Amino acid sequence: MVTLRDVAGHAGVSVSVVSRVLNSDPSVRIRPETRQRILDSAQLLRYSPNSAGRALRRSRTHMLAFVVPDVTNATFTDLVNGVESRALDHDYSVVLASSPRMQPGSDGFARLLNERLVDGVLLQKGDEAPLDLVARALSHPERTVLINSGPVDGVTTLAINDVTAGALATRHLIELGHTRIGYVGGVATSDTSDRRRAGVEQALTEAGLALAPEHTTTLGYTYRSARDAARLLLGRPPAPTAVVVGNVNAGIGVLTEAAQMGIRVPDDLSVVAIHDIWPAITCAPALTTIRLPMANLGAAAVDLLLAGLEKAASPAGPTSGIVDDPAPELVLRASTAPPPTV
């Protein structure tokens, strides 16, 4: 979306002069040719002033936008609840957006802040979106908080302790006696997957073990991609006797594919997935998971965003933090057991 700054740069004048000319300020004193140059630049760039934005420039909408990759994804349920509950505590309402047209870089996303439709944005980026592209697409990083994404230079970020979650899952498998442990990860651009894998590797290193390249995948967190990943990992001898799955939706896919391959869980293969949602209980067998403080993450992100809005004129820069209260928790169910005896 074209801004006053764009028009000013094209016309070679200051933003304030452009604003006064386009708002027909009779007190502005400039040459006729300069005025015409500004009008021509605005027309050429298709600049369109927003009356609502002007009216709200010095006021608050008391609306926040929460943008997630997929509102139907059950892993976001607790996060959404945490955001909405804390926002209501502060007398704010929340607009939830998840379509591709509302992701960073789209016109829909830009309008949220450029036109002051909301006071600030909470953003959980999609795993496929590279961090540097997301950072460049944020027109108002000072009014944006990235949730479990990043860190991104110049943007406030808040995350859960993914490293601890990955390590906790792995230590559970090691304590059961597993030594061949795999990792089913997100796509290569997924920062959460990178951190969870780091936790897996940390726990393995502490136990004198290592994550074999043939025992890890970067196909994604979806049910379908996890089925593909499981077929790859479990078809490569020697196959792992246990896997940590970076996302619970993917964990359900691993269970499904293992059953299709005739691999019994947990007799032949143990599975631990990160995140805990209600479908994990309904699997056969029920899926062992790592429960994360998603509701607390959402609430803390709202607090951080609103505090930033209050300090908008402050010289303090963006911050990043980790929500680890409560800490990630192992939820034992039926999908893990000691390794099979040979």
Side-chain angles (χ1 to χ4, degrees):
M1 177 170 291
V2 177
T3 65
L4 285 174
R5 189 176 299 279
D6 297 323
V7 177
H10 190 272
V13 297
S14 69
V15 173
S16 63
V17 169
V18 171
S19 177
R20 293 172 69 185
V21 168
L22 296 183
N23 284 287
S24 303
D25 184 349
S27 67
V28 63
R29 298 182 179 277
I30 58 172
R31 298 175 184 175
E33 58 266 32
T34 302
R35 181 189 299 274
Q36 189 59 50
R37 189 165 72 248
I38 292 171
L39 296 174
D40 290 344
S41 294
Q43 183 178 16
L44 178 66
L45 297 176
R46 296 183 180 178
Y47 172 76
S48 177
N50 180 266
S51 56
R54 290 197 300 269
L56 292 171
R57 189 173 294 126
R58 297 188 179 276
S59 64
R60 292 284 179 88
T61 66
H62 278 267
M63 297 282 291
L64 302 177
F66 184 26
V67 181
V68 296
D70 180 6
V71 73
T72 66
N73 189 329
T75 62
F76 293 127
T77 300
D78 287 342
L79 184 60
V80 171
N81 289 340
V83 166
E84 186 173 50
S85 178
R86 185 55 58 88
L88 289 172
D89 290 342
H90 291 283
D91 296 323
Y92 270 79
S93 297
V94 177
V95 177
L96 183 62
S98 67
S99 76
R101 295 180 63 185
M102 293 304 297
Q103 293 299 306
S106 69
D107 288 343
F109 185 90
R111 288 183 60 231
L112 290 172
L113 291 175
N114 287 346
E115 299 186 12
R116 290 304 300 264
L117 301 178
V118 297
D119 293 331
V121 173
L122 301 155
L123 170 63
Q124 164 95 54
K125 81 171 186 69
D127 286 330
E128 295 79 10
L131 289 173
D132 57 337
L133 294 182
V134 171
R136 290 200 297 270
L138 297 179
S139 58
H140 291 273
E142 76 282 0
R143 289 194 279 133
T144 304
V145 170
L146 277 170
I147 298 181
N148 221 34
S149 307
V152 174
D153 288 343
V155 186
T156 295
T157 62
L158 193 65
I160 51 178
N161 202 329
D162 291 303
V163 175
T164 295
L168 182 61
T170 307
R171 291 191 187 106
H172 169 60
L173 296 173
I174 292 170
E175 289 167 1
L176 289 173
H178 293 275
T179 57
R180 292 202 311 273
I181 298 173
Y183 176 64
V184 176
V187 295
T189 50
S190 171
D191 45 290
T192 60
S193 183
D194 287 345
R195 292 193 294 269
R196 292 167 190 178
R197 173 175 171 154
V200 172
E201 292 177 327
Q202 174 185 303
L204 289 172
T205 299
E206 291 170 354
L209 302 171
L211 181 62
E214 63 271 21
H215 290 164
T216 185
T217 62
T218 56
L219 298 184
Y221 282 157
T222 68
Y223 172 83
R224 180 67 261 174
S225 65
R227 291 194 63 174
D228 294 339
R231 185 160 290 276
L232 282 174
L233 290 186
L234 302 177
R236 295 169 176 165
T241 61
V243 292
V244 175
V245 188
N247 176 279
V248 67
N249 296 318
I252 295 170
V254 169
L255 291 182
T256 302
E257 192 62 31
Q260 289 289 315
M261 297 174 70
I263 296 172
R264 299 168 300 165
V265 176
D267 296 338
D268 304 320
L269 176 73
S270 287
V271 181
V272 183
I274 296 174
H275 275 298
D276 186 46
I277 57 176
W278 70 264
I281 304 172
T282 65
C283 297
L287 184 59
T288 295
T289 61
I290 303 297
R291 181 175 294 149
L292 302 173
M294 301 303 290
N296 286 17
L297 174 64
V302 171
D303 289 340
L304 195 59
L305 177 59
L306 294 182
L309 295 179
E310 294 298 329
K311 301 175 184 175
S314 169
T319 59
S320 60
I322 297 289
V323 173
D324 54 7
D325 183 18
E329 175 189 4
L330 178 68
V331 182
L332 281 173
R333 297 195 180 100
S335 67
T336 55
T341 55
V342 179

